[in-house]
């Protein structure tokens, strides 16, 4: 089985950090998720940046639908692979 990577898209850094911490508590994610700033195309203003939380799921045990619902609680979504 190939490694699975989930990308949650969130509205700001604070939310991304909160989600990152919650992933360990709620889903037992062992590896620290990676936070990535994703500036919207053509935008230089940091206020217009989205934040990505990249979750490595080597065992493929996280359910995409559950992660999408989780991200939605924070006004975000799960990026389709």
């Amino acid at each position: 089985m190939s490694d699975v990577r989930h990308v949650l898209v969130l509205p700001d850094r604070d939310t991304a950090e909160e989600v990152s911490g919650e992933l360990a508590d709620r889903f037992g994610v062992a590896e620290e998720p990676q936070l990535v700033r994703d500036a919207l195309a053509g935008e230089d203003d940091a206020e217009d940046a989205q934040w990505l939380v990249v979750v490595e799921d080597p065992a493929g045990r996280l359910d995409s639908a559950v992660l999408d619902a989780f991200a939605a609680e924070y006004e975000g979504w799960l990026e389709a692979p």
Side-chain angles (χ1 to χ4, degrees):
M1 177 185 283
S2 63
D3 285 0
V4 178
R5 175 179 289 154
H6 303 283
V7 179
L8 304 176
V9 182
L10 297 149
D12 56 55
R13 182 182 185 124
D14 289 344
T15 304
E17 288 175 347
E18 185 177 344
V19 165
S20 178
E22 189 68 23
L23 281 164
D25 296 341
R26 198 181 297 193
F27 299 103
V29 173
E31 189 172 327
E32 181 76 21
Q34 180 183 357
L35 301 183
V36 181
R37 180 178 179 271
D38 182 33
L40 300 175
E43 297 291 343
D44 295 328
D45 188 351
E47 295 300 313
D48 291 327
Q50 294 174 322
W51 282 79
L52 308 179
V53 177
V54 181
V55 183
E56 299 296 336
D57 183 20
R61 63 180 188 77
L62 297 173
D63 184 311
S64 296
V66 172
L67 286 175
D68 189 45
F70 170 67
E73 293 175 27
Y74 296 90
E75 298 179 10
W77 65 89
L78 177 68
E79 191 68 27

